[in-house]
Amino acid sequence: RRAGNWEAALSVFGRLRMLGYTSEPGAGAVVLALANATRWIEALQLFQAEFQQANAENPGIRSYEAALQACAQGNNWQIALSLLEEIECRQLPRDKRSFNTALSAYRRTMQKK
């Protein structure tokens, strides 16, 4: 059910971006929608485009957790670890969800080997 909303979320976000109306929570929600739809590459590309470019808005913890979810879906523990380091550097409040999602990325990678 949740995975089916990614197309609508991406469409609305794209329209809002064209009008100059974007927000950190909105971008994070689209990243999460993509991650939940196992479109992890697109999720990480959007996270990078929205938050890791010069003059970009700083992502909040929920946006980071959405990107971590994408890492878990894509079995990409290296990027997950890098995101955890960014969270630490930005002194964002971390919780079990952040660490568990990063661990899930690692576990999935090890299961594939």
Side-chain angles (χ1 to χ4, degrees):
R1 188 182 84 193
R2 287 176 23 191
N5 295 331
W6 72 269
E7 290 172 315
L10 192 58
S11 175
V12 169
F13 184 74
R15 288 185 202 147
L16 289 173
R17 185 192 287 165
M18 286 184 351
L19 295 171
Y21 300 113
T22 59
S23 68
E24 183 272 331
V30 177
V31 170
L32 183 60
L34 288 165
N36 286 336
T38 64
R39 302 187 68 83
W40 63 272
I41 293 172
E42 292 96 328
L44 291 174
Q45 287 172 339
L46 178 62
F47 183 86
Q48 182 178 25
E50 289 299 310
F51 302 122
Q52 295 182 322
Q53 303 295 328
N55 302 322
E57 186 174 357
N58 288 332
I61 190 64
R62 297 296 170 236
S63 294
Y64 271 108
E65 287 174 349
L68 287 167
Q69 180 65 31
C71 291
Q73 293 293 337
N75 307 321
N76 199 326
W77 66 268
Q78 297 97 333
I79 294 176
L81 182 59
S82 174
L83 291 171
L84 283 177
E85 290 172 350
E86 282 184 37
I87 292 168
E88 178 75 22
C89 287
R90 293 181 188 260
Q91 299 179 338
L92 293 171
R94 298 167 312 279
D95 58 17
K96 285 191 273 187
R97 186 181 338 181
S98 305
F99 293 106
N100 286 341
T101 306
L103 284 171
S104 177
Y106 179 75
R107 242 188 329 258
R108 288 179 181 190
T109 301
M110 293 302 115
Q111 288 173 349
K112 296 247 180 200
K113 288 187 176 186

